[in-house]
Amino acid sequence: MFQGTIPGPMRSIVRETASGWPSGPVYVPCCGNFTIERSVAGMGFALHSSDVSIYTSAVGRWLTWQPVGIQLREESRDELGWLAGSLDDGVGTVATLMLGTRFLASVGREGLWHERVVRSYREQWKAKHAETVERLSGSDIELASYEVEDVRSWLQKVPRDAPVCSFPPFYGGGYEKLYEPLEAHFTWDAPEYEPLSDDDVVSVLGAITDRPYWLTASNHSVPELHPYLRGVIKATPRAAPFYVYASEARTRIVAPRQPIEPVKVPRLREGDELVGPLRLSLLKPGQFNALRSRYLNPKIAPGAANLAVAVQDGGGRLLGVFAMAPSTFTQDEAYVLSDFAVAPTDYLRLSKLIVLAATSAEAQLLCQRAFSRRIRRVATTAFSNNPVSMKYRGLLRLHKRSPSNEDGWKFQLQYQGAMGQHTLAEALEMWAKRWGAPTTKTGV
Ligand SMILES: C[S@@+](CC[C@H](N)C(=O)[O-])C[C@H]1O[C@@H](n2cnc3c(N)ncnc32)[C@H](O)[C@@H]1O
């Protein structure tokens, strides 16, 4: 419901720590996405929370039965008048802001992608909004109070002996930017406060930890708090580690674990001739993980796949794998999370055959079944040190090139293409003609 799920180990550490605290009030400044409140829900504490952001304050006020107090700005009415019917000063407004965090940054911006994002929200607004309202209404968070207040002044009011549990900003500045798109289109009784400087962050930490019971966490290691380190959590292989510090609790180190299942299918090997017809078969998550760990470049961090498919040749030998997920913003698009060919084989360009299989009419059918929607296009991202991806060149269209946000690569390349324009049989024919000549150890 709220942004981001809480990694299980994080929830456990917070609960375990809090279970040693006296019953009664617990204070949660900088409560953000209510991660802490969600973690200790049902433990019987009276939770008093505060924050300064528009988003958190909307949720916090709604959870404590206060009017949310947020309206569409007059100057945004032309562009966003279609949201007006959803703003009810209660859960409807909260749901609107929640959905707003996903598309408002695209409002008024030029470019096909931004236009598509806004259009898709506008067209599906009724359903998306109703669904969010329903999910919000099922929330099990109970707050004793919520206040819109700066952490520096709020902490001074908190009783000296009461537990404080907070994930505050660990660097000065930064959070104000996060909700800029919401602030740009909505008006409210925003608090006046000076953004936290780096020195303020240190004194806030001091005020949190200067008491008998406290817990705090950051995505940076804080040397001063080292003696209090209670756990290091990596929620997913891509995620940055999260350091949890607390006054009393046991120490934990938690790293992600992927289920691995053996894949017994024979693989195409050097010296094997690839024969038709191609066929596709579904892989279980553990099998996909096993193959991905074996063949995918270790510099590429894995993501979770909704649909993982093995490509086999006529001899039943595995040629490669592709994994797809429904695209978040584009209704009829499938996103290729990964695609790779087995190796070593005699075919230098085997990976192009996997791309062709992934965009075939048969793959389209599998996607449509798995995602329960019509799929006409594919998109994918390639990380590369070259300005184009040799694998996708000639098969998909390079839509955008930007500097890589992943270490170890120069470029991040966005590719798009049609899906279902050829069958598997045509894919093999096309590939065999252009790229399918085998190389041998002596020949080319
Ligand atoms: C690291 S986030 C906490 C969110 C955390 N991930 C969670 O969901 O529990 C930091 C929060 O501090 C809030 N914040 C930033 N400056 C603040 C200030 N001066 N006073 C109170 N809260 C502040 C931000 O709005 C943001 O919600």
PDB file of all heavy atoms in Angstrom, residues 30-36 51-53 56 149-152 167-169 175-176 193-194 196, ligand 1:
ATOM      1  N   CYS A  30      10.234  12.030  11.642  1.00  0.00           N
ATOM      2  CA  CYS A  30      10.667  11.772  10.257  1.00  0.00           C
ATOM      3  C   CYS A  30      10.061  10.463   9.778  1.00  0.00           C
ATOM      4  O   CYS A  30      10.758   9.594   9.237  1.00  0.00           O
ATOM      5  CB  CYS A  30      12.183  11.690  10.148  1.00  0.00           C
ATOM      6  SG  CYS A  30      13.036  13.131  10.765  1.00  0.00           S
ATOM      7  N   CYS A  31       8.759  10.299   9.989  1.00  0.00           N
ATOM      8  CA  CYS A  31       8.174   8.960   9.821  1.00  0.00           C
ATOM      9  C   CYS A  31       7.990   8.562   8.365  1.00  0.00           C
ATOM     10  O   CYS A  31       7.695   7.397   8.077  1.00  0.00           O
ATOM     11  CB  CYS A  31       6.879   8.841  10.593  1.00  0.00           C
ATOM     12  SG  CYS A  31       5.585   9.909   9.998  1.00  0.00           S
ATOM     13  N   GLY A  32       8.179   9.507   7.420  1.00  0.00           N
ATOM     14  CA  GLY A  32       8.248   9.172   5.992  1.00  0.00           C
ATOM     15  C   GLY A  32       7.133   8.298   5.497  1.00  0.00           C
ATOM     16  O   GLY A  32       5.969   8.687   5.421  1.00  0.00           O
ATOM     17  N   ASN A  33       7.500   7.081   5.230  1.00  0.00           N
ATOM     18  CA  ASN A  33       6.544   6.158   4.634  1.00  0.00           C
ATOM     19  C   ASN A  33       5.941   5.220   5.670  1.00  0.00           C
ATOM     20  O   ASN A  33       5.398   4.184   5.321  1.00  0.00           O
ATOM     21  CB  ASN A  33       7.300   5.354   3.576  1.00  0.00           C
ATOM     22  CG  ASN A  33       6.442   5.067   2.410  1.00  0.00           C
ATOM     23  OD1 ASN A  33       5.345   5.608   2.279  1.00  0.00           O
ATOM     24  ND2 ASN A  33       6.894   4.176   1.575  1.00  0.00           N
ATOM     25  N   PHE A  34       6.085   5.551   6.929  1.00  0.00           N
ATOM     26  CA  PHE A  34       5.516   4.782   8.038  1.00  0.00           C
ATOM     27  C   PHE A  34       6.079   3.363   8.113  1.00  0.00           C
ATOM     28  O   PHE A  34       5.394   2.428   8.503  1.00  0.00           O
ATOM     29  CB  PHE A  34       3.979   4.773   7.952  1.00  0.00           C
ATOM     30  CG  PHE A  34       3.398   6.153   8.039  1.00  0.00           C
ATOM     31  CD1 PHE A  34       3.167   6.902   6.895  1.00  0.00           C
ATOM     32  CD2 PHE A  34       3.141   6.747   9.262  1.00  0.00           C
ATOM     33  CE1 PHE A  34       2.683   8.196   6.960  1.00  0.00           C
ATOM     34  CE2 PHE A  34       2.659   8.041   9.346  1.00  0.00           C
ATOM     35  CZ  PHE A  34       2.422   8.772   8.197  1.00  0.00           C
ATOM     36  N   THR A  35       7.344   3.251   7.729  1.00  0.00           N
ATOM     37  CA  THR A  35       7.994   1.939   7.778  1.00  0.00           C
ATOM     38  C   THR A  35       8.015   1.410   9.208  1.00  0.00           C
ATOM     39  O   THR A  35       7.740   0.231   9.445  1.00  0.00           O
ATOM     40  CB  THR A  35       9.447   2.070   7.274  1.00  0.00           C
ATOM     41  OG1 THR A  35       9.433   2.775   6.052  1.00  0.00           O
ATOM     42  CG2 THR A  35      10.089   0.726   7.078  1.00  0.00           C
ATOM     43  N   ILE A  36       8.360   2.286  10.135  1.00  0.00           N
ATOM     44  CA  ILE A  36       8.472   1.840  11.526  1.00  0.00           C
ATOM     45  C   ILE A  36       7.087   1.497  12.076  1.00  0.00           C
ATOM     46  O   ILE A  36       6.890   0.442  12.685  1.00  0.00           O
ATOM     47  CB  ILE A  36       9.154   2.935  12.371  1.00  0.00           C
ATOM     48  CG1 ILE A  36      10.624   3.015  11.943  1.00  0.00           C
ATOM     49  CG2 ILE A  36       9.023   2.654  13.857  1.00  0.00           C
ATOM     50  CD1 ILE A  36      11.339   4.257  12.368  1.00  0.00           C
ATOM     51  N   ASP A  51       6.325  14.404  10.778  1.00  0.00           N
ATOM     52  CA  ASP A  51       7.146  14.603   9.578  1.00  0.00           C
ATOM     53  C   ASP A  51       6.783  15.983   9.040  1.00  0.00           C
ATOM     54  O   ASP A  51       5.881  16.642   9.569  1.00  0.00           O
ATOM     55  CB  ASP A  51       6.843  13.515   8.529  1.00  0.00           C
ATOM     56  CG  ASP A  51       7.975  13.330   7.514  1.00  0.00           C
ATOM     57  OD1 ASP A  51       8.177  14.246   6.679  1.00  0.00           O
ATOM     58  OD2 ASP A  51       8.650  12.281   7.546  1.00  0.00           O
ATOM     59  N   VAL A  52       7.481  16.391   7.973  1.00  0.00           N
ATOM     60  CA  VAL A  52       7.171  17.702   7.393  1.00  0.00           C
ATOM     61  C   VAL A  52       6.696  17.606   5.949  1.00  0.00           C
ATOM     62  O   VAL A  52       6.315  18.617   5.361  1.00  0.00           O
ATOM     63  CB  VAL A  52       8.410  18.630   7.423  1.00  0.00           C
ATOM     64  CG1 VAL A  52       8.677  19.123   8.820  1.00  0.00           C
ATOM     65  CG2 VAL A  52       9.624  17.930   6.843  1.00  0.00           C
ATOM     66  N   SER A  53       6.701  16.413   5.353  1.00  0.00           N
ATOM     67  CA  SER A  53       6.406  16.355   3.918  1.00  0.00           C
ATOM     68  C   SER A  53       4.898  16.320   3.659  1.00  0.00           C
ATOM     69  O   SER A  53       4.110  15.861   4.498  1.00  0.00           O
ATOM     70  CB  SER A  53       7.070  15.132   3.270  1.00  0.00           C
ATOM     71  OG  SER A  53       6.246  14.004   3.404  1.00  0.00           O
ATOM     72  N   THR A  56       3.642  12.510   3.543  1.00  0.00           N
ATOM     73  CA  THR A  56       3.542  11.863   4.853  1.00  0.00           C
ATOM     74  C   THR A  56       2.434  12.513   5.676  1.00  0.00           C
ATOM     75  O   THR A  56       1.695  11.824   6.388  1.00  0.00           O
ATOM     76  CB  THR A  56       4.897  11.974   5.590  1.00  0.00           C
ATOM     77  OG1 THR A  56       5.893  11.437   4.739  1.00  0.00           O
ATOM     78  CG2 THR A  56       4.890  11.214   6.889  1.00  0.00           C
ATOM     79  N   GLU A 149       5.541  18.613  11.994  1.00  0.00           N
ATOM     80  CA  GLU A 149       6.493  19.451  12.740  1.00  0.00           C
ATOM     81  C   GLU A 149       7.934  19.067  12.444  1.00  0.00           C
ATOM     82  O   GLU A 149       8.251  17.894  12.224  1.00  0.00           O
ATOM     83  CB  GLU A 149       6.228  19.362  14.246  1.00  0.00           C
ATOM     84  CG  GLU A 149       7.079  20.366  14.989  1.00  0.00           C
ATOM     85  CD  GLU A 149       6.680  20.571  16.452  1.00  0.00           C
ATOM     86  OE1 GLU A 149       5.569  20.187  16.855  1.00  0.00           O
ATOM     87  OE2 GLU A 149       7.521  21.141  17.166  1.00  0.00           O
ATOM     88  N   ASP A 150       8.766  20.052  12.488  1.00  0.00           N
ATOM     89  CA  ASP A 150      10.201  19.860  12.293  1.00  0.00           C
ATOM     90  C   ASP A 150      10.753  18.955  13.402  1.00  0.00           C
ATOM     91  O   ASP A 150      10.433  19.128  14.576  1.00  0.00           O
ATOM     92  CB  ASP A 150      10.869  21.239  12.351  1.00  0.00           C
ATOM     93  CG  ASP A 150      12.340  21.142  12.030  1.00  0.00           C
ATOM     94  OD1 ASP A 150      13.106  20.634  12.876  1.00  0.00           O
ATOM     95  OD2 ASP A 150      12.718  21.566  10.931  1.00  0.00           O
ATOM     96  N   VAL A 151      11.601  18.026  12.997  1.00  0.00           N
ATOM     97  CA  VAL A 151      12.134  17.050  13.955  1.00  0.00           C
ATOM     98  C   VAL A 151      12.887  17.729  15.096  1.00  0.00           C
ATOM     99  O   VAL A 151      12.859  17.259  16.243  1.00  0.00           O
ATOM    100  CB  VAL A 151      13.028  16.013  13.227  1.00  0.00           C
ATOM    101  CG1 VAL A 151      14.153  16.683  12.446  1.00  0.00           C
ATOM    102  CG2 VAL A 151      13.613  14.982  14.165  1.00  0.00           C
ATOM    103  N   ARG A 152      13.557  18.870  14.824  1.00  0.00           N
ATOM    104  CA  ARG A 152      14.366  19.503  15.860  1.00  0.00           C
ATOM    105  C   ARG A 152      13.497  19.998  17.015  1.00  0.00           C
ATOM    106  O   ARG A 152      13.800  19.778  18.177  1.00  0.00           O
ATOM    107  CB  ARG A 152      15.171  20.672  15.262  1.00  0.00           C
ATOM    108  CG  ARG A 152      16.307  20.210  14.404  1.00  0.00           C
ATOM    109  CD  ARG A 152      16.758  21.241  13.408  1.00  0.00           C
ATOM    110  NE  ARG A 152      15.792  21.381  12.302  1.00  0.00           N
ATOM    111  CZ  ARG A 152      16.057  21.996  11.158  1.00  0.00           C
ATOM    112  NH1 ARG A 152      17.246  22.531  10.966  1.00  0.00           N
ATOM    113  NH2 ARG A 152      15.146  22.068  10.208  1.00  0.00           N
ATOM    114  N   PHE A 167      14.006   6.777  11.195  1.00  0.00           N
ATOM    115  CA  PHE A 167      14.975   6.719  10.096  1.00  0.00           C
ATOM    116  C   PHE A 167      15.065   8.140   9.550  1.00  0.00           C
ATOM    117  O   PHE A 167      14.405   8.476   8.573  1.00  0.00           O
ATOM    118  CB  PHE A 167      14.511   5.788   8.977  1.00  0.00           C
ATOM    119  CG  PHE A 167      14.232   4.372   9.423  1.00  0.00           C
ATOM    120  CD1 PHE A 167      13.435   3.548   8.659  1.00  0.00           C
ATOM    121  CD2 PHE A 167      14.791   3.863  10.581  1.00  0.00           C
ATOM    122  CE1 PHE A 167      13.180   2.237   9.054  1.00  0.00           C
ATOM    123  CE2 PHE A 167      14.550   2.560  10.985  1.00  0.00           C
ATOM    124  CZ  PHE A 167      13.730   1.747  10.220  1.00  0.00           C
ATOM    125  N   PRO A 168      15.842   9.002  10.187  1.00  0.00           N
ATOM    126  CA  PRO A 168      15.864  10.411   9.749  1.00  0.00           C
ATOM    127  C   PRO A 168      16.747  10.573   8.519  1.00  0.00           C
ATOM    128  O   PRO A 168      17.478   9.654   8.163  1.00  0.00           O
ATOM    129  CB  PRO A 168      16.503  11.107  10.951  1.00  0.00           C
ATOM    130  CG  PRO A 168      17.410  10.079  11.541  1.00  0.00           C
ATOM    131  CD  PRO A 168      16.797   8.731  11.266  1.00  0.00           C
ATOM    132  N   PRO A 169      16.697  11.750   7.886  1.00  0.00           N
ATOM    133  CA  PRO A 169      17.629  11.966   6.778  1.00  0.00           C
ATOM    134  C   PRO A 169      19.038  11.913   7.361  1.00  0.00           C
ATOM    135  O   PRO A 169      19.278  12.462   8.426  1.00  0.00           O
ATOM    136  CB  PRO A 169      17.316  13.390   6.313  1.00  0.00           C
ATOM    137  CG  PRO A 169      16.022  13.748   6.925  1.00  0.00           C
ATOM    138  CD  PRO A 169      15.869  12.926   8.151  1.00  0.00           C
ATOM    139  N   TYR A 175      15.454  15.793   0.854  1.00  0.00           N
ATOM    140  CA  TYR A 175      14.074  15.290   0.927  1.00  0.00           C
ATOM    141  C   TYR A 175      13.057  16.237   0.321  1.00  0.00           C
ATOM    142  O   TYR A 175      12.017  15.818  -0.159  1.00  0.00           O
ATOM    143  CB  TYR A 175      13.709  14.925   2.368  1.00  0.00           C
ATOM    144  CG  TYR A 175      14.146  13.528   2.614  1.00  0.00           C
ATOM    145  CD1 TYR A 175      15.402  13.258   3.117  1.00  0.00           C
ATOM    146  CD2 TYR A 175      13.348  12.455   2.235  1.00  0.00           C
ATOM    147  CE1 TYR A 175      15.843  11.976   3.272  1.00  0.00           C
ATOM    148  CE2 TYR A 175      13.784  11.164   2.381  1.00  0.00           C
ATOM    149  CZ  TYR A 175      15.030  10.928   2.900  1.00  0.00           C
ATOM    150  OH  TYR A 175      15.466   9.649   3.028  1.00  0.00           O
ATOM    151  N   GLU A 176      13.415  17.528   0.354  1.00  0.00           N
ATOM    152  CA  GLU A 176      12.473  18.511  -0.183  1.00  0.00           C
ATOM    153  C   GLU A 176      12.233  18.251  -1.666  1.00  0.00           C
ATOM    154  O   GLU A 176      11.144  18.448  -2.175  1.00  0.00           O
ATOM    155  CB  GLU A 176      12.999  19.937   0.059  1.00  0.00           C
ATOM    156  CG  GLU A 176      12.892  20.415   1.510  1.00  0.00           C
ATOM    157  CD  GLU A 176      13.812  19.683   2.493  1.00  0.00           C
ATOM    158  OE1 GLU A 176      14.820  19.106   2.056  1.00  0.00           O
ATOM    159  OE2 GLU A 176      13.490  19.663   3.696  1.00  0.00           O
ATOM    160  N   TYR A 193      10.182  25.597   7.886  1.00  0.00           N
ATOM    161  CA  TYR A 193      11.357  25.092   8.598  1.00  0.00           C
ATOM    162  C   TYR A 193      12.564  25.224   7.691  1.00  0.00           C
ATOM    163  O   TYR A 193      12.427  25.287   6.472  1.00  0.00           O
ATOM    164  CB  TYR A 193      11.155  23.624   9.014  1.00  0.00           C
ATOM    165  CG  TYR A 193      11.124  22.679   7.844  1.00  0.00           C
ATOM    166  CD1 TYR A 193      12.277  21.988   7.454  1.00  0.00           C
ATOM    167  CD2 TYR A 193       9.963  22.482   7.107  1.00  0.00           C
ATOM    168  CE1 TYR A 193      12.257  21.135   6.363  1.00  0.00           C
ATOM    169  CE2 TYR A 193       9.943  21.639   6.017  1.00  0.00           C
ATOM    170  CZ  TYR A 193      11.090  20.961   5.651  1.00  0.00           C
ATOM    171  OH  TYR A 193      11.069  20.142   4.563  1.00  0.00           O
ATOM    172  N   GLU A 194      13.714  25.270   8.311  1.00  0.00           N
ATOM    173  CA  GLU A 194      14.972  25.327   7.559  1.00  0.00           C
ATOM    174  C   GLU A 194      15.362  23.911   7.199  1.00  0.00           C
ATOM    175  O   GLU A 194      15.382  23.040   8.097  1.00  0.00           O
ATOM    176  CB  GLU A 194      16.077  25.883   8.473  1.00  0.00           C
ATOM    177  CG  GLU A 194      16.165  27.387   8.515  1.00  0.00           C
ATOM    178  CD  GLU A 194      16.529  27.965   7.153  1.00  0.00           C
ATOM    179  OE1 GLU A 194      17.550  27.537   6.582  1.00  0.00           O
ATOM    180  OE2 GLU A 194      15.771  28.833   6.664  1.00  0.00           O
ATOM    181  N   LEU A 196      17.388  20.610   6.871  1.00  0.00           N
ATOM    182  CA  LEU A 196      18.446  20.147   7.776  1.00  0.00           C
ATOM    183  C   LEU A 196      19.812  20.290   7.119  1.00  0.00           C
ATOM    184  O   LEU A 196      19.996  19.850   5.987  1.00  0.00           O
ATOM    185  CB  LEU A 196      18.228  18.674   8.119  1.00  0.00           C
ATOM    186  CG  LEU A 196      16.971  18.310   8.912  1.00  0.00           C
ATOM    187  CD1 LEU A 196      16.791  16.795   8.953  1.00  0.00           C
ATOM    188  CD2 LEU A 196      17.075  18.869  10.329  1.00  0.00           C
TER     189      LEU A 196
HETATM  190  C1  LIG B   1      14.721   8.617   5.523  1.00  0.00           C
HETATM  191  S1  LIG B   1      13.126   9.299   5.374  1.00  0.00           S
HETATM  192  C2  LIG B   1      12.235   8.359   6.461  1.00  0.00           C
HETATM  193  C3  LIG B   1      11.460   7.480   5.679  1.00  0.00           C
HETATM  194  C4  LIG B   1      11.687   6.050   6.016  1.00  0.00           C
HETATM  195  N1  LIG B   1      12.219   5.337   4.894  1.00  0.00           N
HETATM  196  C5  LIG B   1      10.373   5.447   6.373  1.00  0.00           C
HETATM  197  O1  LIG B   1       9.618   5.185   5.463  1.00  0.00           O
HETATM  198  O2  LIG B   1      10.128   5.259   7.535  1.00  0.00           O
HETATM  199  C6  LIG B   1      13.311  10.801   6.113  1.00  0.00           C
HETATM  200  C7  LIG B   1      12.035  11.576   6.366  1.00  0.00           C
HETATM  201  O3  LIG B   1      12.433  12.739   7.078  1.00  0.00           O
HETATM  202  C8  LIG B   1      11.579  13.794   6.723  1.00  0.00           C
HETATM  203  N2  LIG B   1      12.231  15.061   7.044  1.00  0.00           N
HETATM  204  C9  LIG B   1      13.164  15.729   6.333  1.00  0.00           C
HETATM  205  N3  LIG B   1      13.501  16.871   6.958  1.00  0.00           N
HETATM  206  C10 LIG B   1      12.763  16.917   8.104  1.00  0.00           C
HETATM  207  C11 LIG B   1      12.646  17.845   9.156  1.00  0.00           C
HETATM  208  N4  LIG B   1      13.380  18.958   9.183  1.00  0.00           N
HETATM  209  N5  LIG B   1      11.788  17.578  10.148  1.00  0.00           N
HETATM  210  C12 LIG B   1      11.034  16.450  10.140  1.00  0.00           C
HETATM  211  N6  LIG B   1      11.085  15.521   9.161  1.00  0.00           N
HETATM  212  C13 LIG B   1      11.949  15.765   8.154  1.00  0.00           C
HETATM  213  C14 LIG B   1      11.346  13.612   5.244  1.00  0.00           C
HETATM  214  O4  LIG B   1      10.124  14.225   4.856  1.00  0.00           O
HETATM  215  C15 LIG B   1      11.290  12.078   5.135  1.00  0.00           C
HETATM  216  O5  LIG B   1       9.980  11.633   5.198  1.00  0.00           O
END
